[in-house]
């Protein structure tokens, strides 16, 4: 799988993100933010760049990180077609892939240890998106929410 990676700092597990992906057989197609000497390292810019790699087809998924993971998640989710999930444990990572068909994994540099990173990545990559009709309908609705309103009924 082709994966883009971003981090706004070189703290915590940031320096090992690309290696952890490669160890699992994935191709790191781009690094952004503090991981690239030529780019702005602020979380909003770095996370947007990685998310755009996914949205524009240069990457299949992305991994974005900042101190809490929250800003990286918010920035990535602003890019149309992105479903970024902030995951602090393996169960959340599996759920994000299964029920939300998340295509961007957001991580906290403060809260994720090397051992926890391994657990999160293993769960993320081992879990396929659900084929259940209600789960697919929810993911489709996310796309509809992000699209300009047309004849969509107003929420009650």
């Amino acid at each position: 799988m082709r994966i883009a990676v971003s981090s706004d700092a070189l703290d915590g597990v940031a320096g090992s993100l690309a290696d952890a992906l490669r160890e699992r057989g994935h191709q790191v197609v781009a690094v952004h933010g503090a991981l690239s000497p030529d780019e702005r390292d602020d979380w909003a810019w770095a996370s947007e760049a990685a998310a755009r790699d996914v949205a524009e087809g240069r990457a299949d998924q992305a991994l974005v990180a900042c101190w809490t993971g929250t800003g990286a998640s918010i920035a990535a989710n602003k890019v149309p077609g992105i479903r970024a999930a902030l995951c602090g444990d393996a169960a959340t990572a599996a759920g994000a892939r299964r029920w939300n068909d998340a295509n961007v994994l957001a991580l906290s540099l403060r809260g994720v240890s090397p051992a926890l990173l391994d657990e999160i990545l293993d769960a993320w990559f081992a879990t396929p998106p659900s084929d259940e009709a209600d789960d697919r309908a929810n993911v489709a609705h996310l796309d509809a929410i992000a699209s300009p309103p047309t004849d969509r009924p107003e929420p009650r």
Side-chain angles (χ1 to χ4, degrees):
M1 183 177 302
R2 299 170 306 142
I3 303 177
V5 181
S6 74
S7 180
D8 70 341
L10 296 177
D11 298 318
V13 296
S16 63
L17 296 174
D19 288 340
L21 294 168
R22 288 184 190 108
E23 288 169 5
R24 287 165 175 74
H26 302 291
Q27 178 187 5
V28 176
V29 295
V31 293
H32 299 287
L35 303 174
S36 172
D38 301 325
E39 291 188 13
R40 186 171 180 160
D41 62 358
D42 299 282
W43 56 266
W45 281 264
S47 300
E48 176 195 7
R52 287 203 184 281
D53 285 336
V54 175
E56 296 171 6
R58 291 182 296 276
D60 302 307
Q61 293 186 5
L63 192 160
V64 298
C66 68
W67 188 244
T68 65
T70 306
S73 167
I74 292 169
N77 275 315
K78 295 294 183 182
V79 176
I82 296 305
R83 292 175 304 281
L86 175 56
C87 299
D89 58 67
T92 303
R97 288 291 299 136
R98 178 177 298 115
W99 298 307
N100 311 127
D101 194 7
N103 54 10
V104 174
L105 171 61
L107 296 174
S108 166
L109 295 174
R110 179 194 60 79
V112 174
S113 68
L116 187 54
L117 175 64
D118 284 338
E119 293 174 12
I120 291 169
L121 291 177
D122 288 346
W124 180 269
F125 292 116
T127 309
S130 171
D131 288 331
E132 297 293 321
D134 58 339
D135 295 329
R136 300 310 315 155
N138 276 303
V139 172
H141 185 65
L142 292 176
D143 292 336
I145 292 170
S147 299
T150 55
D151 294 331
R152 199 173 19 163
E154 290 295 317
R156 293 182 189 215

